[in-house]
Amino acid sequence: MALKLVGRVVAQIANTRSRSYYTSRTKKLSLYSKISPLGNPNTSIAPELDDWVYMGNKVRVGELQRIVRDLRNRRRFAQALEVSEWMNKNGVCIFSPVEHAVHLDLIGKVQGFQCAESYFDGLKDEDKTDKTYGALLNCYVRQRQVEKALSHFQKM
């Protein structure tokens, strides 16, 4: 009886060791898994991104866009804006009108409609599409700027 118990314990230990060795060797750390646990909205994400690149890891545009989308869904707008700014600053991707619209919306939520307005004014004419116009209009409406929203709507 005692021998069976010892045999089970030894088998469990061996099984646990091999399983933990296996998962630690095959489980690849992703950028998302590094950033996602940073739950405090005041925690800066840029150092994590810089560290990720410094360690020689690749940064994929799709993964960064997924991180921005996830942070927006979790209402962590400041962190999402920080990732978007990091992408733009480091030239990870060339912003299309859709990325500009997302960035504009985040600026409006975090810094206010005046900053969103100045970002919009700084865009090239080819980037001023229905997406970016709509994002700025949404900023005005969210801040209850009726006059600006109506004026902007007429420009659209």
Side-chain angles (χ1 to χ4, degrees):
M1 184 81 141
L3 190 56
K4 280 186 176 180
L5 182 61
V6 170
R8 282 188 199 154
V9 170
V10 169
Q12 285 178 341
I13 290 172
N15 191 18
T16 303
R17 280 188 187 159
S18 66
R19 214 177 322 133
S20 65
Y21 174 78
Y22 177 75
T23 55
S24 67
R25 298 269 302 164
T26 59
K27 198 173 199 178
K28 196 171 184 182
L29 185 66
S30 70
L31 180 58
Y32 180 79
S33 66
K34 264 189 94 157
I35 289 177
S36 183
L38 302 174
N40 184 354
N42 298 324
T43 303
S44 181
I45 290 182
E48 292 293 328
L49 295 168
D50 291 332
D51 184 48
W52 181 261
V53 172
Y54 178 76
M55 297 301 278
N57 297 307
K58 293 185 180 181
V59 178
R60 284 180 248 117
V61 175
E63 187 173 17
L64 288 172
Q65 289 171 334
R66 184 177 131 226
I67 289 169
V68 169
R69 184 175 48 247
D70 180 64
L71 291 171
R72 289 177 77 199
N73 288 340
R74 292 184 189 186
R75 306 185 65 76
R76 292 164 52 183
F77 301 118
Q79 289 178 329
L81 177 61
E82 191 176 2
V83 173
S84 182
E85 286 173 343
W86 188 88
M87 286 172 59
N88 199 8
K89 180 184 82 173
N90 291 316
V92 173
C93 75
I94 298 170
F95 272 25
S96 70
V98 173
E99 278 96 13
H100 281 299
V102 169
H103 192 76
L104 189 63
D105 182 61
L106 289 169
I107 290 172
K109 286 180 179 175
V110 175
Q111 300 170 352
F113 74 90
Q114 292 96 350
C115 293
E117 207 172 41
S118 64
Y119 180 79
F120 179 82
D121 291 339
L123 290 176
K124 297 175 191 167
D125 286 338
E126 60 264 13
D127 289 329
K128 293 182 180 179
T129 64
D130 59 333
K131 304 288 186 205
T132 51
Y133 270 98
L136 184 58
L137 179 64
N138 190 26
C139 291
Y140 288 144
V141 171
R142 192 180 316 118
Q143 297 286 317
R144 293 179 174 82
Q145 298 294 318
V146 178
E147 295 297 321
K148 287 189 175 270
L150 289 173
S151 171
H152 185 70
F153 187 70
Q154 287 174 346
K155 287 179 192 174
M156 289 174 67

